[in-house]
Each structure stands twice: as C-alpha cells, then as structure tokens.
Amino acid sequence: TSLSASQFLRRQQVLQLYRKILRAIREVPAEADRRYLQDWAREEFRRNKDATEEDAIRMMITQGNMQLQELQRTLKLAKS
C-alpha cells in the first residue's frame, strides 16, 4: 500500500522523533538506566506502530517531543 503525502510526512516525523529519542538516551550515563529507556522507547513505538487515526498520531508525536525535551533537560541538569 502506498502512503499519501501527509502519511509519508507524518511517518518521517515519527522516525525523526524515534532517532532523536534514541540519540538522547545514548547520553544517559548509567548503563542500566540507558538500557531501560531504550527498551521503553522501542516498546512505545512498537506498540503504536499500527496507529492510523491522524489526531491520535499527532498527539503521540506531541507527547514524544515533550518526553524528549524532559529527558534532554534532565541530562543537561545532570551534567551541570
């Protein structure tokens, strides 16, 4: 099945968010925490991979971005 332009762009947004989250998690100093967060992120994205409702997908992207920002803030604080 081919994707519409908006579905393609939404998919790109999701993949970009996933990569950003995994990149941020690499900065977590404790290996156990890092592994926990990687498993959590993979599971969240896997669990929602079949979502098709546009509003729900937009909401999940927004939530994911907020969680990414929170992780980045926490890492920044831990380094200072």
Side-chain angles (χ1 to χ4, degrees), residues 10 16 18 22 26 29 39 42-44 51 54-55 65:
R10 185 78 61 226
Q16 186 178 34
Y18 183 63
L22 289 181
R26 277 191 226 136
D39 290 345
R42 285 192 187 105
E43 184 52 36
E44 280 295 303
E54 274 296 308
D55 291 338
N65 277 310

Side-chain angles (χ1 to χ4, degrees), residues 60-74:
M60 287 185 269
I61 290 171
T62 301
Q63 284 179 322
N65 277 310
M66 290 184 335
Q67 289 168 324
L68 173 60
Q69 288 171 352
E70 185 61 36
L71 175 59
Q72 289 169 331
R73 266 196 302 272
T74 304

Side-chain angles (χ1 to χ4, degrees), residues 30-62:
E31 189 180 340
D33 293 340
R34 201 168 46 242
R35 200 170 287 139
Y36 170 80
L37 288 169
Q38 285 170 337
D39 290 345
W40 167 81
R42 285 192 187 105
E43 184 52 36
E44 280 295 303
F45 278 83
R46 198 174 289 130
R47 197 162 45 87
N48 293 303
K49 76 179 172 66
D50 296 322
T52 54
E53 175 61 43
E54 274 296 308
D55 291 338
I57 294 169
R58 265 198 301 276
M59 190 184 75
M60 287 185 269
I61 290 171
T62 301

